[in-house]
Amino acid sequence: MVEAHLEGMLDTAVLAGEILLKNGAETYRVEETMIHIAKACGAVNVESFVIPTGVFLTVTDAAGRSATTMRRVRNRTINLDRVAKINALSRRLAERRITCRDAALALKRIARERTGFSLGPSMIASGLVGGSTAILQNGGVYEMLAAFAAAALVRYIAHVVSRLHGVQVTYEFLGGMTAALSGVLFYKLWPFLGRDAVIIGGIMPLVPGMAITNAIRDVMAGDLLSGISRGMEAALTAGAVAMGVVLVLATHTW
């Protein structure tokens, strides 16, 4: 019975950490949340360690029994709604407003929730980001509309590649190419359009803003391994997008 309780608090805490890490939470947030949840479930001592590709947790109960587990995280995205739900659940558990068993059930429900929005709203949101970016690049209404179309198409490419289980760098590279091709095509059809504004707007949904922010935050907090890893991931994303754009601009002759 004691071992079952120990495994229960361990599984509950590590599941919360896994969900947070998969959905874009910072390293310190993942570690602290696992510690708070494990202690709220009865752990006396907790040690947590998080890197961008996995979480490690050791808990010790009042009887001196210890257990350690790790959870590999292969797929990561940005879903701040899930991060907020886990934060709220952790606070409720720490304040004894729910039991550890109820928290475990709630975590499983959150883990099973559908991730993100459907394709249509995602394309519209990406288009709005691209269109507003074109305006910031001194573009007019036509540049805004062209960038809207380019960014929406980039989001569609990302959807197709993800459905085919392609790696992230693939759709980032193809997304950069798509944005550049869209800018060149619109410029050829309507020479008065600002090509650069359209291309910049098109690639804006691919910019790794959250990864860069988390990398800086982790380095400042002393989580050097996580910070450097996230920074390298952001650099790879930026490089893939840039290569796609440069390839089109350097080779097109029409």
Side-chain angles (χ1 to χ4, degrees):
M1 185 68 180
V2 174
E3 291 183 359
H5 177 64
L6 185 64
E7 292 295 329
M9 72 173 73
L10 188 67
D11 290 342
T12 300
V14 81
L15 177 58
E18 179 187 8
I19 297 172
L20 286 172
L21 189 60
K22 281 184 175 180
N23 291 278
E26 309 93 315
T27 299
Y28 86 93
R29 186 185 303 275
V30 180
E31 291 180 344
E32 290 184 358
T33 300
M34 288 196 297
I35 292 173
H36 291 323
I37 290 178
K39 288 187 175 180
C41 290
V44 175
N45 186 48
V46 184
E47 295 290 341
S48 64
F49 178 67
V50 175
I51 58 176
T53 55
V55 295
F56 303 80
L57 185 67
T58 298
V59 297
T60 304
D61 63 11
R65 298 174 181 266
S66 296
T68 301
T69 189
M70 66 86 63
R71 196 69 58 85
R72 183 79 160 83
V73 175
R74 291 181 172 84
N75 300 315
R76 296 183 302 278
T77 184
I78 303 297
N79 190 332
L80 298 184
D81 179 60
R82 281 189 175 181
V83 174
K85 287 180 179 179
I86 299 297
N87 285 341
L89 181 65
S90 174
R91 293 189 185 96
R92 290 170 60 198
L93 182 61
E95 295 170 357
R96 310 294 182 185
R97 289 188 285 164
I98 58 173
T99 64
C100 188
R101 182 183 297 273
D102 291 337
L105 295 175
L107 285 170
K108 293 177 181 178
R109 286 196 299 270
I110 295 173
R112 291 193 300 266
E113 287 180 354
R114 181 178 178 180
T115 302
F117 298 94
S118 60
L119 178 60
S122 297
M123 291 178 64
I124 293 174
S126 296
L128 292 174
V129 171
S132 59
T133 302
I135 294 177
L136 295 176
Q137 297 297 318
N138 295 322
V141 175
Y142 296 106
E143 284 81 5
M144 180 190 69
L145 294 176
F148 180 97
L153 184 57
V154 167
R155 180 64 187 88
Y156 178 76
I157 294 296
H159 172 76
V160 171
V161 174
S162 64
R163 291 292 296 271
L164 296 175
H165 303 287
V167 295
Q168 182 176 345
V169 70
T170 302
Y171 74 72
E172 290 162 350
F173 175 74
L174 293 177
M177 290 187 63
T178 301
L181 285 171
S182 299
V184 170
L185 178 61
F186 283 127
Y187 178 72
K188 292 297 182 180
L189 294 176
W190 297 285
F192 60 86
L193 284 179
R195 185 191 65 180
D196 293 345
V198 175
I199 294 175
I200 293 172
I203 65 174
M204 190 53 60
L206 299 173
V207 174
M210 182 65 74
I212 294 172
T213 302
N214 284 345
I216 295 173
R217 175 62 180 82
D218 287 344
V219 170
M220 293 177 63
D223 297 314
L224 301 181
L225 181 60
S226 294
I228 293 173
S229 299
R230 291 180 189 270
M232 291 297 294
E233 183 180 20
L236 180 61
T237 297
V241 174
M243 284 190 295
V245 174
V246 169
L247 182 63
V248 172
L249 296 182
T251 58
H252 88 276
T253 57
W254 42 277

Coordinates of all heavy atoms in Angstrom, one line a residue, residues 130-190:
G130 N 0.6 37.6 -40.2 CA 1.4 38.0 -41.4 C 0.9 39.4 -41.9 O 1.8 40.2 -42.3
G131 N -0.4 39.6 -42.0 CA -0.9 40.8 -42.5 C -0.5 42.0 -41.6 O -0.1 43.1 -42.1
S132 N -0.6 41.9 -40.3 CA -0.2 43.0 -39.4 C 1.3 43.2 -39.5 O 1.7 44.4 -39.4 CB -0.6 42.6 -38.0 OG 0.0 41.4 -37.5
T133 N 2.1 42.2 -39.7 CA 3.5 42.4 -39.8 C 3.9 43.2 -41.1 O 4.8 44.0 -41.1 CB 4.3 41.0 -39.8 OG1 4.0 40.3 -38.6 CG2 5.8 41.2 -39.9
A134 N 3.1 42.9 -42.2 CA 3.4 43.6 -43.4 C 3.1 45.1 -43.2 O 3.8 46.0 -43.8 CB 2.5 43.1 -44.5
I135 N 2.1 45.5 -42.4 CA 1.8 46.9 -42.2 C 3.0 47.5 -41.4 O 3.4 48.6 -41.7 CB 0.5 47.0 -41.3 CG1 -0.7 46.5 -42.2 CG2 0.3 48.4 -40.9 CD1 -2.0 46.6 -41.5
L136 N 3.6 46.8 -40.5 CA 4.7 47.3 -39.7 C 5.9 47.5 -40.6 O 6.9 48.2 -40.3 CB 5.1 46.3 -38.6 CG 4.0 46.2 -37.5 CD1 4.5 45.1 -36.4 CD2 3.8 47.5 -36.8
Q137 N 6.0 46.8 -41.8 CA 7.0 46.9 -42.7 C 6.7 48.0 -43.8 O 7.2 48.0 -44.9 CB 7.3 45.6 -43.4 CG 7.8 44.5 -42.5 CD 9.1 44.8 -41.9 OE1 10.0 45.3 -42.5 NE2 9.2 44.5 -40.6
N138 N 5.8 49.0 -43.4 CA 5.4 50.1 -44.3 C 4.6 49.6 -45.5 O 4.6 50.3 -46.5 CB 6.6 50.9 -44.7 CG 7.3 51.6 -43.6 OD1 6.7 52.1 -42.6 ND2 8.6 51.6 -43.6
G139 N 4.0 48.4 -45.4 CA 3.2 47.9 -46.4 C 1.8 48.6 -46.4 O 1.3 49.0 -45.3
G140 N 1.1 48.6 -47.5 CA -0.2 49.1 -47.6 C -1.3 48.0 -47.5 O -1.0 46.9 -47.1
V141 N -2.5 48.3 -47.9 CA -3.6 47.3 -47.9 C -3.3 46.1 -48.7 O -3.5 45.0 -48.3 CB -4.9 48.0 -48.3 CG1 -6.0 46.9 -48.4 CG2 -5.3 49.1 -47.4
Y142 N -2.7 46.3 -49.9 CA -2.5 45.2 -50.8 C -1.3 44.3 -50.3 O -1.4 43.1 -50.4 CB -2.1 45.7 -52.2 CG -3.2 46.5 -52.9 CD1 -3.2 47.9 -53.0 CD2 -4.3 45.8 -53.4 CE1 -4.3 48.5 -53.6 CE2 -5.4 46.5 -54.0 CZ -5.3 47.8 -54.1 OH -6.4 48.5 -54.7
E143 N -0.3 44.9 -49.7 CA 0.7 44.1 -49.1 C 0.2 43.3 -47.9 O 0.5 42.2 -47.7 CB 1.9 45.0 -48.6 CG 2.8 45.5 -49.7 CD 2.2 46.7 -50.4 OE1 1.2 47.2 -50.0 OE2 2.9 47.2 -51.4
M144 N -0.7 43.9 -47.2 CA -1.3 43.3 -46.0 C -2.1 42.0 -46.5 O -2.0 40.9 -45.9 CB -2.3 44.2 -45.3 CG -2.9 43.6 -44.1 SD -4.2 44.6 -43.4 CE -5.5 44.5 -44.7
L145 N -2.9 42.2 -47.6 CA -3.7 41.1 -48.1 C -2.8 40.0 -48.6 O -3.1 38.8 -48.4 CB -4.7 41.6 -49.1 CG -5.8 42.5 -48.7 CD1 -6.6 43.0 -49.8 CD2 -6.7 41.9 -47.6
A146 N -1.8 40.4 -49.3 CA -0.8 39.4 -49.9 C -0.1 38.6 -48.8 O 0.1 37.4 -48.8 CB 0.2 40.0 -50.8
A147 N 0.3 39.3 -47.7 CA 1.0 38.7 -46.6 C 0.0 37.8 -45.9 O 0.4 36.7 -45.4 CB 1.6 39.8 -45.7
F148 N -1.2 38.2 -45.8 CA -2.2 37.4 -45.1 C -2.3 36.0 -45.9 O -2.3 35.0 -45.2 CB -3.6 38.1 -45.2 CG -4.7 37.3 -44.5 CD1 -5.1 37.5 -43.2 CD2 -5.4 36.3 -45.2 CE1 -6.1 36.8 -42.6 CE2 -6.4 35.6 -44.6 CZ -6.8 35.8 -43.3
A149 N -2.4 36.1 -47.2 CA -2.5 34.9 -48.0 C -1.2 34.0 -47.8 O -1.3 32.8 -47.7 CB -2.8 35.2 -49.4
A150 N -0.1 34.6 -47.8 CA 1.2 33.9 -47.7 C 1.3 33.2 -46.4 O 1.7 32.0 -46.3 CB 2.4 34.9 -48.0
A151 N 1.0 33.9 -45.3 CA 1.1 33.3 -44.0 C 0.1 32.2 -43.8 O 0.4 31.2 -43.2 CB 0.9 34.4 -42.9
A152 N -1.1 32.4 -44.3 CA -2.1 31.3 -44.2 C -1.7 30.1 -45.0 O -1.8 28.9 -44.5 CB -3.5 31.8 -44.8
L153 N -1.0 30.3 -46.1 CA -0.5 29.1 -46.9 C 0.6 28.5 -46.2 O 0.7 27.2 -46.2 CB -0.1 29.6 -48.3 CG 0.4 28.6 -49.3 CD1 -0.7 27.5 -49.5 CD2 0.8 29.2 -50.6
V154 N 1.5 29.2 -45.5 CA 2.6 28.6 -44.7 C 2.0 27.8 -43.6 O 2.5 26.7 -43.4 CB 3.4 29.8 -44.2 CG1 4.4 29.2 -43.1 CG2 4.3 30.4 -45.3
R155 N 0.9 28.2 -43.0 CA 0.3 27.4 -41.9 C -0.3 26.1 -42.5 O -0.2 25.1 -41.9 CB -0.8 28.3 -41.2 CG -1.5 27.5 -40.1 CD -0.6 27.2 -39.0 NE -1.1 26.3 -38.0 CZ -1.1 25.0 -38.1 NH1 -0.6 24.3 -39.1 NH2 -1.7 24.2 -37.1
Y156 N -0.8 26.2 -43.7 CA -1.4 25.0 -44.3 C -0.2 24.0 -44.6 O -0.4 22.8 -44.4 CB -2.1 25.4 -45.6 CG -2.6 24.2 -46.3 CD1 -3.8 23.5 -45.9 CD2 -2.0 23.7 -47.5 CE1 -4.3 22.4 -46.5 CE2 -2.5 22.5 -48.1 CZ -3.6 21.9 -47.7 OH -4.1 20.8 -48.3
I157 N 0.9 24.5 -45.1 CA 2.0 23.6 -45.4 C 2.5 22.9 -44.1 O 2.8 21.7 -44.0 CB 3.2 24.4 -45.9 CG1 2.9 25.0 -47.3 CG2 4.5 23.6 -46.0 CD1 2.6 23.9 -48.4
A158 N 2.5 23.7 -43.0 CA 2.9 23.1 -41.7 C 1.9 22.0 -41.3 O 2.3 21.0 -40.7 CB 3.0 24.2 -40.6
H159 N 0.6 22.2 -41.5 CA -0.4 21.2 -41.2 C -0.2 20.0 -42.0 O -0.2 18.9 -41.5 CB -1.8 21.8 -41.5 CG -2.9 20.8 -41.3 ND1 -3.4 20.4 -40.1 CD2 -3.6 20.2 -42.3 CE1 -4.3 19.5 -40.3 NE2 -4.5 19.4 -41.6
V160 N 0.1 20.1 -43.3 CA 0.3 18.9 -44.2 C 1.5 18.1 -43.7 O 1.4 16.9 -43.6 CB 0.4 19.4 -45.6 CG1 0.8 18.2 -46.5 CG2 -0.9 20.0 -46.1
V161 N 2.6 18.8 -43.5 CA 3.8 18.1 -43.1 C 3.6 17.4 -41.7 O 4.1 16.3 -41.5 CB 5.0 19.1 -43.0 CG1 6.3 18.4 -42.5 CG2 5.3 19.7 -44.4
S162 N 3.0 18.1 -40.8 CA 2.7 17.4 -39.5 C 1.8 16.2 -39.6 O 2.0 15.2 -38.9 CB 2.1 18.4 -38.5 OG 0.9 18.9 -38.9
R163 N 0.9 16.3 -40.5 CA 0.0 15.1 -40.7 C 0.8 13.9 -41.3 O 0.4 12.8 -41.1 CB -1.2 15.5 -41.6 CG -2.2 16.4 -41.0 CD -2.9 15.7 -39.9 NE -3.7 14.6 -40.4 CZ -5.0 14.7 -40.8 NH1 -5.6 15.9 -40.8 NH2 -5.6 13.7 -41.2
L164 N 1.8 14.3 -42.1 CA 2.7 13.2 -42.7 C 3.8 12.8 -41.7 O 4.7 12.0 -42.1 CB 3.3 13.7 -44.0 CG 2.3 14.0 -45.1 CD1 3.0 14.7 -46.3 CD2 1.5 12.8 -45.6
H165 N 3.7 13.3 -40.5 CA 4.7 13.0 -39.5 C 6.1 13.4 -39.9 O 7.1 12.7 -39.5 CB 4.7 11.5 -39.1 CG 3.3 11.0 -38.7 ND1 2.8 11.3 -37.5 CD2 2.4 10.3 -39.4 CE1 1.6 10.7 -37.4 NE2 1.3 10.1 -38.5
G166 N 6.2 14.5 -40.6 CA 7.5 15.0 -40.9 C 8.2 15.8 -39.7 O 7.5 16.2 -38.8
V167 N 9.5 15.9 -39.8 CA 10.2 16.6 -38.7 C 9.9 18.1 -38.8 O 9.6 18.6 -39.8 CB 11.7 16.3 -38.7 CG1 12.0 14.8 -38.5 CG2 12.3 16.7 -40.1
Q168 N 10.1 18.8 -37.7 CA 9.8 20.2 -37.6 C 10.6 21.0 -38.6 O 10.0 21.9 -39.2 CB 10.0 20.7 -36.2 CG 9.6 22.2 -36.0 CD 9.7 22.6 -34.6 OE1 9.8 21.8 -33.7 NE2 9.8 23.9 -34.3
V169 N 11.8 20.7 -38.8 CA 12.7 21.5 -39.6 C 12.2 21.4 -41.1 O 12.4 22.3 -41.9 CB 14.2 21.1 -39.5 CG1 14.4 19.7 -40.1 CG2 15.1 22.1 -40.1
T170 N 11.5 20.4 -41.4 CA 11.0 20.2 -42.8 C 10.0 21.3 -43.1 O 10.1 21.9 -44.2 CB 10.4 18.8 -43.0 OG1 11.4 17.8 -42.7 CG2 9.9 18.6 -44.4
Y171 N 9.0 21.4 -42.3 CA 7.9 22.4 -42.6 C 8.4 23.8 -42.4 O 7.9 24.8 -43.0 CB 6.6 22.2 -41.9 CG 6.6 22.5 -40.4 CD1 6.6 23.8 -39.9 CD2 6.5 21.5 -39.5 CE1 6.5 24.1 -38.6 CE2 6.4 21.7 -38.1 CZ 6.4 23.0 -37.7 OH 6.3 23.3 -36.4
E172 N 9.5 24.0 -41.6 CA 10.0 25.3 -41.4 C 10.8 25.7 -42.7 O 10.7 26.9 -43.2 CB 11.0 25.4 -40.2 CG 10.2 25.3 -38.9 CD 11.1 24.9 -37.7 OE1 12.3 24.5 -38.0 OE2 10.7 24.9 -36.6
F173 N 11.5 24.8 -43.3 CA 12.2 25.0 -44.5 C 11.2 25.3 -45.7 O 11.3 26.2 -46.4 CB 13.1 23.9 -44.9 CG 13.8 24.0 -46.2 CD1 14.8 24.9 -46.4 CD2 13.4 23.2 -47.3 CE1 15.5 25.0 -47.6 CE2 14.0 23.3 -48.5 CZ 15.0 24.2 -48.7
L174 N 10.2 24.4 -45.7 CA 9.2 24.5 -46.8 C 8.4 25.8 -46.6 O 7.9 26.4 -47.5 CB 8.3 23.3 -46.8 CG 9.0 22.0 -47.2 CD1 8.0 20.8 -47.2 CD2 9.5 22.1 -48.7
G175 N 8.1 26.1 -45.3 CA 7.4 27.3 -45.0 C 8.1 28.6 -45.5 O 7.5 29.5 -46.1
G176 N 9.5 28.6 -45.3 CA 10.3 29.7 -45.8 C 10.2 29.8 -47.3 O 10.1 30.9 -47.9
M177 N 10.3 28.7 -48.0 CA 10.2 28.6 -49.4 C 8.8 29.1 -49.9 O 8.7 29.9 -50.9 CB 10.4 27.2 -49.9 CG 11.9 26.7 -49.8 SD 12.1 25.1 -50.6 CE 11.8 25.6 -52.4
T178 N 7.8 28.7 -49.2 CA 6.4 29.1 -49.6 C 6.2 30.6 -49.5 O 5.6 31.2 -50.3 CB 5.4 28.3 -48.7 OG1 5.6 26.9 -48.9 CG2 4.0 28.7 -49.1
A179 N 6.7 31.1 -48.4 CA 6.5 32.6 -48.1 C 7.3 33.3 -49.2 O 6.8 34.3 -49.8 CB 7.1 33.0 -46.8
A180 N 8.5 32.9 -49.6 CA 9.3 33.6 -50.6 C 8.7 33.4 -52.0 O 8.6 34.4 -52.7 CB 10.7 33.0 -50.6
L181 N 8.2 32.2 -52.3 CA 7.5 32.0 -53.6 C 6.3 32.9 -53.7 O 6.0 33.4 -54.7 CB 7.2 30.6 -53.7 CG 8.3 29.6 -54.1 CD1 7.9 28.2 -54.0 CD2 8.9 29.9 -55.5
S182 N 5.5 33.0 -52.6 CA 4.3 33.8 -52.6 C 4.7 35.3 -52.8 O 4.0 36.0 -53.6 CB 3.6 33.7 -51.2 OG 3.2 32.3 -51.0
G183 N 5.7 35.8 -52.1 CA 6.1 37.1 -52.3 C 6.6 37.4 -53.7 O 6.2 38.4 -54.3
V184 N 7.4 36.5 -54.3 CA 7.8 36.7 -55.7 C 6.7 36.6 -56.7 O 6.6 37.4 -57.6 CB 8.9 35.6 -56.0 CG1 9.2 35.6 -57.5 CG2 10.2 35.8 -55.2
L185 N 5.8 35.7 -56.5 CA 4.6 35.5 -57.4 C 3.7 36.8 -57.3 O 3.3 37.3 -58.4 CB 3.8 34.3 -57.0 CG 2.5 34.1 -57.9 CD1 2.9 33.9 -59.3 CD2 1.8 32.8 -57.3
F186 N 3.4 37.3 -56.2 CA 2.6 38.5 -56.0 C 3.3 39.7 -56.7 O 2.6 40.5 -57.3 CB 2.2 38.7 -54.6 CG 1.2 37.8 -54.0 CD1 1.4 37.1 -52.8 CD2 0.0 37.7 -54.6 CE1 0.4 36.3 -52.3 CE2 -1.0 36.9 -54.1 CZ -0.8 36.2 -52.9
Y187 N 4.6 39.7 -56.5 CA 5.3 40.9 -57.1 C 5.3 40.8 -58.6 O 5.2 41.8 -59.3 CB 6.8 40.9 -56.5 CG 7.6 41.9 -57.1 CD1 7.5 43.3 -56.7 CD2 8.6 41.7 -58.0 CE1 8.3 44.3 -57.2 CE2 9.4 42.6 -58.6 CZ 9.2 44.0 -58.2 OH 10.0 45.0 -58.7
K188 N 5.4 39.6 -59.1 CA 5.4 39.5 -60.6 C 4.0 39.8 -61.2 O 3.9 40.4 -62.3 CB 5.8 38.0 -61.0 CG 7.2 37.7 -60.7 CD 8.2 38.6 -61.5 CE 9.6 38.2 -61.2 NZ 10.6 39.1 -62.0
L189 N 3.0 39.4 -60.4 CA 1.6 39.7 -60.9 C 1.3 41.2 -60.7 O 0.6 41.8 -61.6 CB 0.6 38.8 -60.2 CG 0.7 37.3 -60.5 CD1 -0.2 36.5 -59.6 CD2 0.5 37.0 -62.0
W190 N 1.7 41.7 -59.6 CA 1.4 43.1 -59.3 C 2.7 43.8 -58.9 O 3.0 43.9 -57.7 CB 0.3 43.2 -58.2 CG -1.0 42.6 -58.6 CD1 -1.9 43.1 -59.4 CD2 -1.5 41.3 -58.1 NE1 -3.0 42.3 -59.5 CE2 -2.7 41.1 -58.8 CE3 -1.0 40.3 -57.3 CZ2 -3.5 40.0 -58.6 CZ3 -1.7 39.2 -57.1 CH2 -3.0 39.0 -57.7

